[in-house]
Amino acid sequence: MNHPTSAPPQPDPAAIRRTLAGQLDADARAWLDAALAEAAEDPGTGPLPAWERRFAEAGRVVGADHADTARVLLLHAAGAGTATLTRLYQEGSGAERRAVLDALALTVAGPDAVGLVEDALRANDTDIVAAAVGPYAARHLDAHAWRHAVLKCLFTGVPLTAVAQLAERAAGDGELDRMLADFAAERAAAGRAVPADLTAARALTEAAPPGRTTTPPAGGGAKEN
């Protein structure tokens, strides 16, 4: 079993907005308030809704450090659906694609956007890969795809702290442990260091899956219950 037994905590847009507002200057806060109101009141039906222009200019107005968060909030306020998210992802810059991936957990309830995650996991941009393995991937990637996502992180140097619900999904996953062991052996055979993250991930696979514990039977050893 590899799917999480409980969904990742749902991000709180109001809390995200409060935190972001506290980090912006007055002009940037005013821009954010206007942009979010515009997105909520008139998502737009034309070829380029007004809020999408805000989406594109976020980096220039609020700064690169805060643009991802501002864009995520815009996507949520506009109620962007999978079709819009897909278009913005396909047409956007690296930063805009990253924001789309970050927004999936807030904007898409079901697995319709898994294709975007799968595409991102084929990228060589480590920021894109890291954004792909967030809460949406934890909720919707099947076991095979999720295991390969973990390996992709290790291969590209993305810290496994980026992988949402890593401990829960890795627990008791013998196939993931086998894949990690094979990867470690390949690294060692090539004279390359084994990432510390890999060793830590293998340790996580030894834990009992959520909802199951091990207790020693009367005759010794352990049994699952």
Side-chain angles (χ1 to χ4, degrees):
M1 177 177 176
N2 179 256
H3 278 291
T5 56
S6 60
Q10 185 71 6
D12 180 357
I16 294 170
R17 181 175 179 175
R18 286 193 299 271
T19 299
L20 176 59
Q23 297 169 340
L24 300 177
D25 62 27
D27 289 342
R29 282 197 301 274
W31 176 90
L32 179 67
D33 290 343
L36 294 178
E38 190 173 69
E41 293 169 5
D42 184 17
T45 57
L48 185 63
W51 71 265
E52 289 193 28
R53 291 193 290 272
R54 303 275 198 175
F55 183 85
E57 71 183 13
R60 178 174 58 80
V61 178
V62 304
D65 289 344
H66 305 302
D68 284 14
T69 306
R71 289 181 172 123
V72 168
L73 289 171
L74 273 171
L75 292 169
H76 176 262
T82 304
T84 297
L85 294 166
T86 299
R87 175 171 54 78
L88 291 173
Y89 176 87
Q90 292 174 340
E91 299 176 356
S93 65
E96 291 166 1
R97 293 172 68 199
R98 188 172 61 235
V100 168
L101 293 165
D102 284 339
L104 293 180
L106 277 175
T107 56
V108 183
D112 292 352
V114 163
L116 295 181
V117 173
E118 292 173 339
D119 182 84
L121 289 170
R122 292 190 288 268
N124 292 320
D125 183 329
T126 54
D127 288 337
I128 295 293
V129 173
V133 292
Y136 186 83
R139 185 180 295 117
H140 295 296
L141 281 185
D142 64 28
H144 176 79
W146 184 81
R147 291 175 187 131
H148 281 276
V150 173
L151 285 177
K152 176 75 175 192
C153 289
L154 290 167
F155 184 77
T156 57
V158 172
L160 291 189
T161 52
V163 181
Q165 289 201 299
L166 174 65
E168 183 174 0
R169 290 204 63 166
D173 191 339
E175 178 62 14
L176 176 63
D177 184 56
R178 183 195 65 76
M179 294 168 69
L180 294 173
D182 289 348
F183 183 67
E186 291 172 7
R187 299 272 299 191
R192 303 178 67 184
V194 175
D197 270 2
L198 187 151
T199 303
R202 290 198 68 190
L204 291 175
T205 68
E206 298 174 2
R212 293 164 62 189
T213 59
T214 57
T215 56
K223 68 178 180 180
E224 294 181 348
N225 57 38

